[in-house]
Amino acid sequence: MTAQIIAMMLFALTMSITPGPVNVTTFSSGVNYGFMPTMPFVTGATIGFTLLLGLVGLGMGGFITLFPFVGKIICFAGAIFISYVGYKIMHSRVSIENKSADRPLFHHGFIMQWLNVKAWIACLAGTSAFRLSESYEKLFLFCVIYFVICYASIALWAMSGKLTSKLFKNEKHIATINIIMGLILISLGVLLVINDGVIS
């Protein structure tokens, strides 16, 4: 059991810490608004993912398998939402003094996870690899492990954004970061559609 817990932790860390739409958005929010104002988004993303993981483990993943078009709808809707967030980041108002407007909130993080193909792949792969559907106790354990690691990983992206912002003392530099982060998200959205969700 100890070996399986370690495997669960490594899986959760690998899937949570690697770049993706949620982490890019979190980093950008950290740059623009700071660490604590970004935490509602981090919390929403973590809760959203953990709930999705639990439901997939309870059998919702089978529904996606039976009806592949649902996965395509999620992929397309996710691409639109991710591209929209990227657009908002690119055109966000930059102000060193006032960093309260237009920051991503709890519900943005929650929704982004449910429309994030990377999150669906992580849930489907995790429940399959650890055979979570065979044991409610094991599913609950994995959800708890994933919640802690996911929360810490996304929060680390927020802190990285905050620390990065200290390197840039004028608004033009931060605006450049916003454009880069926004373009990355829009590119991810486009690639999701082109590759049918495979690259996320």
Side-chain angles (χ1 to χ4, degrees), residues 83-158:
S83 298
Y84 168 74
V85 172
Y87 174 83
K88 291 281 287 182
I89 289 173
M90 285 179 66
H91 294 85
S92 61
R93 290 174 292 175
V94 179
S95 174
I96 301 295
E97 293 79 20
N98 180 18
K99 296 188 175 184
S100 60
D102 299 326
R103 64 185 171 89
L105 302 173
F106 177 94
H107 66 279
H108 297 136
F110 189 97
I111 293 169
M112 185 174 278
Q113 288 289 35
W114 278 69
L115 296 178
N116 180 8
V117 181
K118 179 187 175 186
W120 280 91
I121 291 173
C123 291
L124 291 168
T127 54
S128 174
F130 299 110
R131 299 182 179 180
L132 301 180
S133 59
E134 298 176 1
S135 168
Y136 291 140
E137 291 80 8
K138 194 188 295 184
L139 175 61
F140 178 75
L141 174 63
F142 190 51
C143 287
V144 170
I145 290 172
Y146 220 121
F147 180 89
V148 174
I149 292 177
C150 182
Y151 197 90
S153 297
I154 302 175
L156 184 61
W157 279 86

Side-chain angles (χ1 to χ4, degrees), residues 24-25 27-28 31 86 89-90 176-186:
V24 171
T25 303
F27 178 83
S28 177
V31 169
I89 289 173
M90 285 179 66
T176 300
I177 292 177
N178 287 345
I179 291 172
I180 293 170
M181 295 295 106
L183 286 173
I184 289 173
L185 282 174
I186 292 171

Side-chain angles (χ1 to χ4, degrees), residues 69-85 111-112 114-117 120 189 192-193 196:
F69 72 92
V70 175
K72 292 183 182 296
I73 292 172
I74 292 170
C75 175
F76 187 70
I80 292 173
F81 187 73
I82 290 166
S83 298
Y84 168 74
V85 172
I111 293 169
M112 185 174 278
W114 278 69
L115 296 178
N116 180 8
V117 181
W120 280 91
L192 279 174
V193 174
D196 204 22

